[in-house]
Amino acid sequence: MQPFSIRCYGDCDGQRVRELYTAGVWEHFPRARRHLLGQWWVWVAVGLVLGLLLALPLPPVLALGLGAVLLATVHQLLRHVWSSLINQNLRADLLDPASHYLGREGGCFWVAECQGQVVGTVGVVPSNASPAELELKRLNVAITHRRRGIAKALCRTVLAFAHTSGFTAVVLSTSLIQTEAQHLYLKMGFQPTSTVLPPNLLAKLTNYTIHRYRLTLAGEFRSLDPKYPLGINAVKQSSGGSQPDPDPDPAPGAAAAPATPKWGWQRHREQQQQQQQHREQRQWHRTGSELSKEQGAELSRERAPGVS
Ligand SMILES: CC(C)(COP(=O)(O)OP(=O)(O)OC[C@H]1O[C@@H](n2cnc3c(N)ncnc32)[C@H](O)[C@@H]1OP(=O)(O)O)[C@@H](O)C(=O)NCCC(=O)NCCS
């Protein structure tokens, strides 16, 4: 199995993060369609339309053909709705994860990288409901890299961040068709808290429920794995990453907090400052070399009379 590592989001990851998100949501389209077909009223509507078409003074083949065209149109309409949902979510935060997640106090965004390619993502922002709670969002792993523990490692990174940043709990929402994610969250120690219906007509008509989960950081997280209480070491271990391990063998129950825990936005600001410094250094070198060229030219002009 190829090793992977987890790092903070950088501006160069934007396109890949959006691709992963889009692919992850499209992947669920067949399940959403199956869920829709599981609603009794859909079959009543299909039966009524077909009955109506067959009742028309048309040859049965034409009536059935019209029915097929109608079903194909409905299918395209559903794809359009799904695609609009993706675009709406992309616009909400993923068009600019740096400012939405890293530019916000308490926010952060990570990517999992394998052989130089981004294969997983996760972000956090303080929850709207309670600023003491952190909301986990946009957890996604490339279909080519599933079942290797990448999502677990990303979750542990979030839990470690939440813990060291002083949040009391991590909360998240997932939909009824995201069954792998539900297994994952239960495995990570999250507890289901409520089930809600989104406030849109289609979701209400299809009973497309959203499931909320919560993990309180006081006890459950530590009990996940006493050897790696904050998950950081577990991430390193499973990733085989080359980053230095803060505490290779922490005492059971000990908090393996990083030496200087930093908010996502603090890291982001640091990165920006480093980039600015780098730009200034390059400018300085450029100016220096331009100066030396000018000085050289001046010197040769000064020397020129003697030489000639
Ligand atoms: C959900 C998702 C992130 C899991 O990623 P992953 O890297 O494959 O997960 P991991 O390998 O870390 O597996 C962790 C646990 O998740 C559960 N899980 C993952 N895939 C599963 C599957 N196909 N069936 C059942 N359980 C599954 C298991 O409990 C697993 O633990 P185990 O391997 O010890 O049994 C991934 O399937 C995905 O990106 N799906 C599409 C996007 C999505 O639904 N995101 C969730 C947003 S709320």
Side-chain angles (χ1 to χ4, degrees):
M1 201 194 298
Q2 289 139 355
F4 64 90
S5 57
I6 292 175
R7 62 167 171 81
C8 210
Y9 170 89
D11 283 335
C12 57
D13 303 319
Q15 184 59 26
R16 179 66 183 150
V17 166
R18 286 185 284 278
E19 277 170 16
L20 278 180
Y21 173 75
T22 308
V25 182
W26 269 119
E27 203 185 297
H28 286 119
F29 179 71
R31 278 191 213 171
R33 193 179 47 198
R34 222 175 304 137
H35 175 73
L36 180 72
L37 290 177
Q39 308 298 310
W40 64 267
W41 58 265
V42 172
W43 290 105
V44 171
V46 169
L48 278 176
V49 171
L50 276 180
L52 205 73
L53 285 172
L54 287 171
L56 288 175
L58 293 170
V61 178
L62 190 62
L64 286 176
L66 272 177
V69 169
L70 207 65
L71 282 180
T73 311
V74 171
H75 183 252
Q76 282 309 318
L77 204 69
L78 282 178
R79 283 184 68 86
H80 177 73
V81 170
W82 206 247
S83 165
S84 315
L85 184 85
I86 294 175
N87 288 336
Q88 188 186 319
N89 288 346
L90 285 174
R91 273 198 301 273
D93 57 349
L94 291 183
L95 281 188
D96 187 7
S99 60
H100 189 87
Y101 290 93
L102 299 162
R104 216 163 137 183
E105 192 164 337
C108 202
F109 201 94
W110 297 267
V111 295
E113 208 174 33
C114 183
Q115 295 193 308
Q117 196 193 23
V118 170
V119 294
T121 66
V122 72
V124 287
V125 280
S127 154
N128 285 336
S130 161
E133 295 179 352
L134 200 60
E135 183 164 4
L136 181 154
K137 292 170 85 108
R138 309 301 184 215
L139 177 68
N140 234 305
V141 173
I143 197 159
T144 47
H145 288 73
R146 300 256 170 95
R147 298 313 292 260
R148 300 181 189 187
I150 297 181
K152 274 195 239 176
L154 286 165
C155 281
R156 287 196 188 103
T157 304
V158 165
L159 297 176
F161 175 82
H163 194 280
T164 54
S165 306
F167 288 94
T168 57
V170 176
V171 293
L172 61 90
S173 304
T174 188
S175 73
L176 84 162
I177 58 169
Q178 289 170 302
T179 46
E180 295 89 354
Q182 288 169 25
H183 283 292
L184 163 73
Y185 297 136
L186 289 175
K187 190 143 210 168
M188 293 302 297
F190 283 84
Q191 301 288 327
T193 50
S194 60
T195 301
V196 292
L197 264 176
N200 68 67
L201 185 66
L202 194 60
K204 285 200 168 95
L205 280 176
T206 56
N207 200 26
Y208 190 87
T209 48
I210 298 296
H211 299 253
R212 296 208 171 122
Y213 288 80
R214 184 174 199 278
L215 192 151
T216 309
L217 287 170
E220 293 94 327
F221 185 21
R222 282 169 195 224
S223 67
L224 280 179
D225 187 343
K227 190 161 160 52
Y228 303 118
L230 287 176
I232 287 176
N233 297 309
V235 171
K236 302 280 163 49
Q237 194 193 45
S238 56
S239 69
S242 56
Q243 299 149 6
D245 196 328
D247 181 1
D249 194 15
T260 48
K262 290 198 173 82
W263 300 98
W265 62 272
Q266 283 175 318
R267 288 204 202 99
H268 182 59
R269 197 168 292 164
E270 263 182 17
Q271 274 174 1
Q272 280 185 331
Q273 278 168 354
Q274 277 168 4
Q275 279 169 2
Q276 180 63 22
Q277 271 175 5
H278 189 61
R279 270 198 296 274
E280 279 168 8
Q281 273 172 1
R282 280 175 52 190
Q283 179 70 19
W284 189 85
H285 282 304
R286 202 174 61 80
T287 320
S289 61
E290 275 166 10
L291 265 179
S292 47
K293 266 189 222 155
E294 278 169 24
Q295 280 168 345
E298 211 166 293
L299 273 175
S300 49
R301 270 200 302 278
E302 277 173 11
R303 278 196 199 131
V307 171
S308 59

